[in-house]
Amino acid sequence: MNATTALTPEQARARLAELTVIDVRTPGEYASGHLPGAHNIPLEHLDRALPALRTAADRGVLLVVCASGNRSATACERLAGHGITVASLTGGTAEWTRLGHDLHHPPRDRAAWAMERQVRFAAGSLVLTGLAAGLRWRPARWLSAGVAGGLVFSALTDTCGMARLLAKLPHNRPRATDLDATLTALTTP
């Protein structure tokens, strides 16, 4: 296997028992449904997890997963740069569920929103706020224009600054104990 490969959902499903699945989405997204047996290590905490991921990779294949495949591709590049052999799930959890494969849904008091839904809610709220405030104070409409420009830029560059900001909110960040438990689980045979 090369330093980085891609597995289709069908290939990953057939090999799921032998893979160590690393989900690099936010804890909120992870809680909304993840591949069975997946460990949550948000992309921004990947560097802290390198020793544990190296240990897990020495025992078998790491499969890195996100919602669509973009964040997992970034994670795979970073891990491969540290000499860790990894695979990425083509199309992410979106493609996994589109093909009818089940996601694990841990019990929770309330349903977590996927990052894409959080971005749509925040962008829509900001646009409406800018338009409503613009009725009284015309310069407030620039807020709506700024959000629209940001969405266009996001689509053209396939990046999302708003998602990066939202990922820093408390409900999208792992509790230290959760991340520590995940790292311990990866290093324990």
Side-chain angles (χ1 to χ4, degrees):
M1 182 183 288
N2 295 333
T4 301
T5 59
L7 296 178
T8 66
E10 294 300 331
Q11 292 169 323
R13 185 170 183 243
R15 298 178 56 192
L16 200 55
E18 68 187 65
L19 299 170
T20 301
V21 181
I22 307 299
D23 192 319
V24 295
R25 298 177 299 158
T26 67
E29 291 174 290
Y30 174 82
S32 70
H34 55 269
L35 270 66
H39 300 277
N40 184 221
I41 300 176
L43 186 59
E44 65 185 31
H45 294 279
L46 206 59
D47 291 335
R48 177 176 172 207
L50 281 173
L53 292 170
R54 188 179 315 282
T55 300
D58 288 343
R59 289 194 308 265
V61 178
L62 293 182
L63 176 66
V64 181
V65 179
C66 70
S68 65
N70 290 334
R71 285 177 279 179
S72 61
T74 300
C76 285
E77 287 176 22
R78 284 172 55 189
L79 293 171
H82 288 278
I84 300 173
T85 302
V86 291
S88 179
L89 180 65
T90 304
T93 56
E95 184 67 9
W96 179 271
T97 55
R98 190 189 70 74
L99 293 173
H101 304 314
D102 289 332
L103 292 177
H104 174 71
H105 297 276
R108 241 186 118 152
D109 294 336
R110 59 179 191 188
W113 285 9
M115 184 57 67
E116 179 185 346
R117 185 176 180 191
Q118 292 179 50
V119 168
R120 289 192 318 255
F121 180 79
S125 297
L126 289 170
V127 167
L128 285 175
T129 300
L131 291 174
L135 294 174
R136 287 204 175 267
W137 187 57
R138 290 181 62 84
R141 294 184 303 177
W142 284 106
L143 174 62
S144 299
V147 172
L151 291 172
V152 169
F153 179 80
S154 175
L156 292 173
T157 62
D158 200 21
T159 61
C160 187
M162 188 176 290
R164 285 189 182 146
L165 288 173
L166 291 171
K168 296 182 184 308
L169 293 175
H171 66 276
N172 284 326
R173 298 185 61 82
R175 293 183 309 220
T177 55
D178 292 344
L179 187 57
D180 290 340
T182 298
L183 298 179
T184 299
L186 289 173
T187 56
T188 305

